[in-house]
Amino acid sequence: MVARVRHLFGRLTDVGEARSALGRALLYERFRALQRQIPLLYTVALVNFLGLAFASGLANFTLLHPANLLVLFVVVRMGHWLRNRGRQLAPEEIQSELRRTLFLAALISFGFGFYAITQFNLSSAYQQGLVILFASLASVGCAYALASFPVGARMPVWLLAIPFAGRLLLSPNSGHIAVGISLVLTALLVLRLVKIHDEGFVELVRSRSAVESERERAQHAEQAALTEKARVREVADTDPLTGLANRRAFIAELEERLGRNGGRPFALALLDLDDFKPINDIFGHAAGDAVLIEVAARLRRQGGAGPLTARIGGDEFALILPCGDESAAERTGMRICEMLGRPYHVEGRDFRISSCAGLVVLTPGGGDVRTALSRADAALYTGKEKGRGSAAVFTAEIEQANGRRIEIERRLSDPSIREAISLSYQPIFDLSTGALRSFEALARWTDPDLGLISPVEFIPIAEQINVIEGISDGLLARSAREAARWPDAVRLSFNLSAVQLCTAGSAPRLLAIIAAEGLAPERLQIEVTETSMLADFATARVNLEALRVAGARILLDDFGAGFASISYLREMIFDAIKIDGSLIAGVPQSPIGVRLLKGVLDLCASLRVPCVAEHIETQEQIDMLRQFGCRDGQGFALSAPLDAEEAGALGAAKVVPFAARNRGRRKHDSAA
Ligand code: C2E
Ligand code: MG
Ligand code: MG
């Protein structure tokens, strides 16, 4: 029974579903409309109620009259609604507020109806007319005022209009009966109109909420598209290994900064790791990757996150730094190089690498990306020339040197330049017997505008712009042609560039070139430097072994100039080691220099590899080298580089005491 009553009450007070979006929207809209109309509703109820009370005679009116309570109640509720006007409530709060409104609407309607019927029974004919008027107006007015809350709107109809109409229908007065019928019909009409109004109201809210949810959906879709676009952009702009910005993102950032109208100057820094390749080659890519990740982490600390710090190539990085002038840029560049030069502890090993930096100070709105990059590149080139771990800032002098470099590049790109590059031949003698052992072919280039261009200058440029192969092959063919005319005992010593050395398939091509010129491989001597093997030691070894197998000799050139990596002596077999000129230059004046030279010569002796000393400029040096057991020698004290004809003539002489070639220099010890 209790359950049934509760069910019935539940049905009667069902004020709408708050779970669905539409239900919630309806709740809000009904409540909003009620908030606007309820004060009017109470005013209508109050005016009509007071009218009713006055019509039926104030004489009956006492303070304790139940009608007073109703008036008091209406005033309190009106105050409540006025206080809460415009307040935002949760759906559950709205539901309970509506339930309360429904209950009170029922109570007030019932009370009004009961009071109207009582007063009608007690009143005179005139007063009865007024009671009818106030009761009817109150029921119709209140039902309309509650139209946006139809369950509530039915209360004044069912609990006031219909019972009062029923009382009129029971009256013996035909006029009262007619009014009763009219009131019933009006009540039914009001119910119908409330229903129609509610259908329209629901439809309006439904379409508004459909538009709203469509707008929300579109907003979500737009937000999702923006998020996805940002994600795709981030992936496209990020270097996957280090998480730094990639070249594309960095260039875009640089372009944006250069394009700004005004702002502080900043520095663009390009960094190139010096000894990264051997880590990859010797310890594997995992170790190489770990080092790059650590480099990136150090740079991020310096240059910050985002597109300001980028990995723009395998072991090349770039930064945008807040340096306003050249000296600040140089200090920052040196600090970065010093920071990257600290040991790396990765995968249980300690690695040391260094890095060179090239910086250029830029002003927003002053210049384009291409020029900025080429200037930073020119500064980097200068940094590299200064030595490992060095930084250089772009200056007017660098610009001048860069201009010369660009001119050299332009000339080298033209294949006809090969004819302009000639060869000279510098003899290498046996220091004890004076016998001529070989001629080292040295490239010579004098340009009408640029003057003398040293091979130290143009060979690396030819390597960088990828024209070295054509130039070097041409020089090898020419020198092999010359060498074929020398006595069999005299070899051709040829400097092989780093690019050729580290390019797969170089060996068979070189052998084919000398074969075409009629020079046996046994008469070829290839000079390689340790740094030229750095780029790809594995390929260099394959090439050199193929040449050795064919009969050529391999010389390690400039030994002692760089790091004198002893490991190369273990990994590769060399037929001779050329001691770098810098080790000869200090002797015999410098005691440390003498000890160092002796130490290096002893090292070679213990490896049983003969030595060639280069850059011998004095008789003392010849004597000392001979005394320390150095087998061969080369240098201005023995002979300057000769042209092809002179070299041919020297080669034709059976045994030449090298001092005889030492034009104007001190004569050598005749015992040699
Ligand atoms: P390198 O192979 O060490 O060549 C010896 C360099 O020392 C030559 O300079 C030579 O002229 C110079 N020299 C000879 N005697 C003396 C001396 O007594 N004192 C001093 N201070 N220098 C002396 P050059 O011709 O300027 O060549 C420089 C470097 O350029 C060479 O060093 C070699 O690495 C490279 N190079 C020269 N020609 C070629 C070439 O045809 N191909 C390649 N790939 N590299 C070449
Ligand atoms: Mg050489
Ligand atoms: Mg050398």
Side-chain angles (χ1 to χ4, degrees), residues 123-139:
S123 304
S124 64
Y126 167 71
Q127 286 171 322
Q128 279 180 336
L130 290 175
V131 170
I132 292 170
L133 186 69
F134 288 123
S136 309
L137 286 176
S139 65

Side-chain angles (χ1 to χ4, degrees), residues 298-305 308-309 319-321:
R298 292 184 191 186
L299 287 178
R300 205 181 278 121
R301 260 174 258 141
Q302 175 69 43
L308 304 180
T309 310
L319 290 99
I320 290 174
L321 299 160

Side-chain angles (χ1 to χ4, degrees), residues 312-459:
I312 56 168
D315 59 356
E316 291 161 20
F317 295 84
L319 290 99
I320 290 174
L321 299 160
C323 305
D325 57 49
E326 271 78 15
S327 64
E330 182 154 22
R331 278 197 305 277
T332 311
M334 273 156 39
R335 201 169 54 238
I336 293 175
C337 292
E338 186 271 321
M339 178 181 77
L340 294 183
R342 288 184 208 143
Y344 292 77
H345 187 77
V346 291
E347 305 206 323
R349 281 202 178 90
D350 281 324
F351 296 99
R352 252 185 191 278
I353 53 171
S354 56
S355 125
C356 283
L359 299 98
V360 59
V361 177
L362 303 165
T363 324
D368 59 305
V369 169
R370 237 173 80 92
T371 315
L373 283 172
S374 90
R375 288 182 168 181
D377 212 35
L380 177 60
Y381 188 78
T382 309
K384 282 182 180 172
E385 275 180 341
K386 282 207 239 169
R388 286 156 204 259
S390 306
V393 181
F394 184 79
T395 55
E397 295 84 73
I398 293 183
E399 180 156 41
Q400 216 173 1
N402 197 38
R404 178 176 162 90
R405 188 187 144 83
I406 290 168
E407 281 304 306
I408 294 175
E409 266 185 37
R410 205 170 56 76
R411 284 164 171 74
L412 286 174
S413 317
D414 178 358
S416 68
I417 198 66
R418 292 173 202 170
E419 303 309 315
I421 300 174
S422 63
L423 280 160
S424 67
Y425 301 90
Q426 189 173 25
I428 297 173
F429 295 102
D430 183 316
L431 285 178
S432 340
T433 64
L436 175 65
R437 286 197 175 273
S438 56
F439 282 108
E440 180 180 10
L442 295 166
R444 293 287 171 263
W445 179 18
T446 308
D447 182 82
D449 301 321
L450 302 174
L452 192 75
I453 307 170
S454 153
V456 178
E457 191 175 8
F458 76 80
I459 297 278

Side-chain angles (χ1 to χ4, degrees), residues 116-170:
I117 290 170
T118 321
Q119 294 309 313
F120 183 82
N121 292 341
L122 298 173
S123 304
S124 64
Y126 167 71
Q127 286 171 322
Q128 279 180 336
L130 290 175
V131 170
I132 292 170
L133 186 69
F134 288 123
S136 309
L137 286 176
S139 65
V140 173
C142 291
Y144 256 118
L146 285 167
S148 53
F149 180 40
V151 214
R154 283 184 208 124
M155 297 302 136
V157 175
W158 288 113
L159 300 178
L160 170 56
I162 297 294
F164 190 70
R167 170 66 191 84
L168 292 177
L169 290 174
L170 292 176

